[in-house]
Amino acid sequence: MTRVFSGIQPTGEPHIGNYFGAMRNYVRLGEQYGQDAIYCIVDLHAPTNPLAYDKATLARLTFEMALANMAVGLDPQKVVFFVQSQVREHAELGWMFTLSTPVGELERMTQYKDKAGKLESIPAGLLMYPVLQAADILLYKADTVPVGEDQVQHIELAREIARRFNHHYGDTFPEPKAVLEKAALRVPGVDGNAKMSKSKGESSTIGLLEPVESIWAKIRPAPTDPARVRRTDPGNPDICLIFDYHKLFSDDATILEVNEGCRTAGIGCIDCKKRLMVGIERELTPIQARAADLRAHPDTVLGGLEHGAERARAIAAPVMDEVRSKMGFLGAA
Ligand code: TYM
């Protein structure tokens, strides 16, 4: 049996890296697996990074992230879609896993090193972050985890945690596997950064729900092949950010045309960027229209999440009973 789980943090506006790398995959797998596709806005993870957390905006960003996923096509009546803090078992299983996870393994996590390096005082929760992530997945005994490339190391750790638990307490959890969207392993930032990231701020991201005029204001000055100083200089699309975006947004004919045009100096960078905007508008306009509709009906979003949390609890509670019992806690069935 396949069971899918994935999570997304409410630490900022969702961007096209989240969309192509993960959210689109959620919808596709949701259509395939229905109630065995479980998706979560991981709000307990968000405060682990003090630079990305603000209690004044957490609830709004959580709502916005849910709304964006629904606008992309996640249907809370068909899949299980909920907010992590509304299902207490996540924190409980996370704690159980901290008991047998070596600190050394956590200190090796690349994302931890990146984030910790920017902080004067490192919250213990930041180090424990991937343990909670393992709990998210294993609480539902999920084996399939759609994510972008940056999460692969965390999923490897979740496999290790499952293996260790099974070894100590008997076969309980599957070893989950990351499912990557090959075309969008790591969508680059519009500022030229290697990875588009919520935490790098608005100058790096193209928001999924961002107005097209505002997207154009970022695309227009975005870096291209530095060898193309003049319009007549040929360029190399393979090292151009805009060509990376064309591969995500444009149809095959346009991709061929700009590829050829760039190499022969047949098309200038601004025209190439304008062609890209056509694809961006085509892809994002319907999503933004659905988002506007949902924003006018917030109860649809909140009701969907409530329904999802109930469904999630019903799956999580017996798994947690099993874990307590296997670990030898008093009163556990
Ligand atoms: P988060 O919130 O940073 O990102 C959500 C998803 O978007 C993917 N992603 C990208 N993919 C391609 N290119 C990019 N530039 C890009 N930026 C982000 C991420 O890989 C991710 O799939 N730790 C997770 C949240 C989490 C989780 C989980 C994921 C918590 N528990 C359990 C899976 C299973 C995170 O911070 O994702």
Side-chain angles (χ1 to χ4, degrees), residues 5-9 15 17-18 21-22 26 42 45 129 133 136-137 145 147-148 150-151 184-187 195-196 198:
F5 181 93
S6 200
I8 187 163
Q9 289 199 77
H15 53 67
N18 300 131
Y26 302 167
V42 291
H45 279 91
Y129 180 111
Q133 180 161 350
D136 296 339
I137 301 164
V145 189
V147 283
D150 62 339
Q151 295 302 315
L185 296 176
R186 181 174 294 251
V187 177
K195 191 189 101 181
M196 184 175 288
K198 294 193 271 299

Side-chain angles (χ1 to χ4, degrees), residues 45-298:
H45 279 91
T48 58
N49 184 357
L51 298 177
Y53 164 61
D54 178 356
K55 74 172 184 189
T57 56
L58 181 62
R60 183 182 63 79
L61 290 174
T62 302
F63 175 85
E64 284 292 319
M65 189 55 86
L67 179 146
N69 276 280
M70 290 187 199
V72 164
L74 264 199
D75 179 347
Q77 305 305 325
K78 291 201 180 126
V79 302
V80 178
F81 184 45
F82 67 102
V83 175
Q84 186 188 31
S85 63
Q86 296 178 358
V87 180
R88 307 281 183 237
E89 285 84 353
H90 286 255
E92 188 180 0
L93 186 59
W95 175 254
M96 300 304 194
F97 287 159
T98 62
L99 303 172
S100 53
T101 306
V103 167
E105 270 180 25
L106 299 174
E107 283 170 339
R108 276 199 292 279
M109 294 291 116
T110 325
Q111 290 214 334
Y112 168 74
K113 287 193 275 188
D114 281 356
K115 288 178 185 163
K118 298 190 183 94
L119 297 171
E120 256 174 46
S121 164
I122 303 163
L126 186 63
L127 185 64
M128 297 306 149
Y129 180 111
V131 181
L132 181 59
Q133 180 161 350
D136 296 339
I137 301 164
L138 297 175
L139 187 54
Y140 303 95
K141 299 194 174 182
D143 51 15
T144 302
V145 189
V147 283
E149 197 181 35
D150 62 339
Q151 295 302 315
V152 169
Q153 196 185 29
H154 288 171
I155 311 303
E156 287 295 325
L157 184 80
R159 293 169 66 81
E160 189 59 43
I161 288 175
R163 253 198 303 274
R164 199 175 287 121
F165 190 97
N166 292 344
H167 177 71
H168 286 312
Y169 303 109
D171 205 21
T172 310
F173 296 115
E175 290 179 25
K177 279 193 268 324
V179 179
L180 301 177
E181 182 66 48
K182 279 195 197 67
L185 296 176
R186 181 174 294 251
V187 177
V190 68
D191 54 358
N193 231 304
K195 191 189 101 181
M196 184 175 288
S197 162
K198 294 193 271 299
S199 60
K200 294 202 183 94
E202 295 228 335
S203 59
S204 152
T205 59
I206 293 179
L208 191 60
L209 305 182
E210 188 168 347
V212 283
E213 306 75 47
S214 160
I215 295 177
W216 174 239
K218 292 176 184 175
I219 295 280
R220 219 178 110 90
T224 54
D225 177 0
R228 282 202 91 176
V229 181
R230 282 173 298 267
R231 163 72 180 77
T232 49
D233 294 331
N236 178 4
D238 297 332
I239 56 164
C240 180
L241 168 71
I242 299 301
F243 190 59
D244 282 338
Y245 292 164
H246 267 296
K247 284 187 271 185
L248 296 172
F249 284 106
S250 299
D251 52 41
D252 290 349
T254 307
I255 296 171
L256 265 174
E257 201 183 317
V258 295
N259 186 7
E260 186 62 22
C262 178
R263 291 181 198 280
T264 57
I267 184 172
C269 288
I270 284 292
D271 281 335
C272 179
K273 288 172 171 178
K274 283 185 182 155
R275 300 293 298 274
L276 170 64
M277 288 307 294
V278 175
I280 290 182
E281 230 178 304
R282 184 178 47 225
E283 185 79 22
L284 300 192
T285 305
I287 295 173
Q288 298 187 355
R290 281 194 295 273
D293 209 40
L294 286 164
R295 196 164 283 116
H297 301 95

